[in-house]
């Protein structure tokens, strides 16, 4: 059986080669077993008691069972090809994220230029929401309590701890504890936004990189043109209009 390659990414080519090899091994083993089966069946027919021949139902049943196994191996072969195609398509889609601003599930982001931003959603109003920022070593560097509303919310951190001391640039992660008016915890999810700078295909699922952080491509919730790019274009248009 000829080997078909879907895409040029080495990781997915390796996956498909492995899948093809597995399918071929299964088929080869089946063929070997089938030859043995035919030999045994022929021998059984040659030496059966003429006065009590094999029931036709039993004979047919054995053939049907082998046919079912053969069909199952063929189905697995086709499924492995479909999985390889799907993986290649996912890789192609992930590459298109490069240079785009994405919103993805996750609580870790980078502090750069004295700013780090997180988005979070709440199932209901949480008048007492504790927001805590931790550095990469797990040390809390900032904490505050805010009144948050149901739906989408944004938290901007200026990179200073509670004493007003600037923290070094790097990775920081967020934890929130939203409580409603009855002091019951509200369901919440944290997201981060950023420009995709690269895509990693070393694992079975594409991993997108945003600065120094990495996220599974399937966790991306939204893709949009970079906000800074849009703002720059608006500014340039205003400048052109004013010059005329």
């Amino acid at each position: 059986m000829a080997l078909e390659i879907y895409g040029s990414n080495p990781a997915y080519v390796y996956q498909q080669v492995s899948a093809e090899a597995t399918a071929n091994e299964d088929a080869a083993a089946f063929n070997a077993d089938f030859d043995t089966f035919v030999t045994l069946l022929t021998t059984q027919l040659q030496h059966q008691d003429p006065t009590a021949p094999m029931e036709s139902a039993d004979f047919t049943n054995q053939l049907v069972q082998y046919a079912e196994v053969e069909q199952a191996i063929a189905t697995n072969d086709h499924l492995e090809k479909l999985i390889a195609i799907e993986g290649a398509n996912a890789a192609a889609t992930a590459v298109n994220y490069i240079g785009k601003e994405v919103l993805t599930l996750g609580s870790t982001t980078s502090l750069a230029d004295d700013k780090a931003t997180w988005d979070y959603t709440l199932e209901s109003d949480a008048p007492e929401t504790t927001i805590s920022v931790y550095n990469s070593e797990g040390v809390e560097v900032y904490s505050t309590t805010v009144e948050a509303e149901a739906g989408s919310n944004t938290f901007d951190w200026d990179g200073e701890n509670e004493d007003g001391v600037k923290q070094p640039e790097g990775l920081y992660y967020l934890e929130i504890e939203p409580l409603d008016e009855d002091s019951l915890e509200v369901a919440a999810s944290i997201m981060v936004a950023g420009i995709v700078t690269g895509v990693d295909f070393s694992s079975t699922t594409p991993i997108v990189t945003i600065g120094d952080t990495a996220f599974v491509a399937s966790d991306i919730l939204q893709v949009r043109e970079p906000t800074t790019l849009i703002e720059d274009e608006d500014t340039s248009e205003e400048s052109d209009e004013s010059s005329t």
Side-chain angles (χ1 to χ4, degrees):
M1 180 170 56
L3 175 63
E4 301 176 16
I5 302 299
Y6 304 102
S8 59
N9 179 265
Y12 285 106
V13 171
Y14 172 77
Q15 290 174 25
Q16 192 194 2
V17 169
S18 300
E20 293 278 1
T22 300
N24 290 339
E25 290 173 0
D26 290 342
F30 172 81
N31 289 332
D33 290 343
F34 184 77
D35 291 340
T36 302
F37 167 75
V38 171
T39 301
L40 291 174
L41 183 61
T42 303
T43 303
Q44 181 181 8
L45 292 174
Q46 291 175 344
H47 294 84
Q48 66 180 336
D49 185 353
T51 61
M54 179 188 297
E55 294 289 341
S56 59
D58 295 335
F59 181 79
T60 303
N61 184 52
Q62 293 182 35
L63 293 177
V64 168
Q65 288 179 0
Y66 251 78
E68 289 176 348
V69 172
E70 185 178 20
Q71 289 298 321
I73 291 176
T75 300
N76 289 341
D77 184 26
H78 294 311
L79 286 175
E80 287 163 354
K81 288 182 179 179
L82 290 175
I83 292 172
I85 293 174
E86 183 180 357
N89 290 337
T93 300
V95 168
N96 292 330
Y97 293 152
I98 296 177
K100 302 291 186 180
E101 184 176 47
V102 299
L103 182 67
T104 180
L105 292 173
S107 59
T108 302
T109 191
S110 299
L111 171 65
D113 298 326
D114 299 329
K115 184 179 181 180
T117 301
W118 290 267
D119 294 317
Y120 61 96
T121 59
L122 301 178
E123 190 176 79
S124 60
D125 292 344
E128 187 178 348
T129 299
T130 301
I131 299 177
S132 303
V133 179
Y134 297 82
N135 62 21
S136 58
E137 297 178 353
V139 178
E140 182 181 299
V141 295
Y142 182 80
S143 182
T144 185
T145 301
V146 299
E147 293 185 10
E149 298 180 348
S152 299
N153 297 270
T154 300
F155 174 69
D156 293 317
W157 181 49
D158 59 7
E160 297 183 356
N161 64 13
E162 296 172 11
D163 296 325
V165 178
K166 287 187 176 182
Q167 302 300 298
E169 293 189 349
L171 297 178
Y172 292 83
Y173 68 91
L174 192 76
E175 287 188 357
I176 61 175
E177 185 181 358
L179 301 178
D180 62 16
E181 57 184 9
D182 297 322
S183 296
L184 298 176
E185 188 170 354
V186 174
S189 59
I190 304 174
M191 297 154 288
V192 295
I195 306 297
V196 176
T197 55
V199 182
D200 181 5
F201 298 111
S202 60
S203 62
T204 55
T205 302
I207 304 295
V208 297
T209 54
I210 302 175
D212 296 327
T213 56
F215 303 89
V216 178
S218 58
D219 284 342
I220 292 178
L221 304 176
Q222 187 180 101
V223 182
R224 59 201 179 205
E225 291 294 338
T227 305
T228 54
L229 178 60
I230 296 175
E231 291 176 350
D232 291 343
E233 290 178 351
D234 293 341
T235 303
S236 61
E237 290 176 359
E238 292 176 359
S239 299
D240 293 338
E241 291 176 358
S242 60
S243 61
T244 56

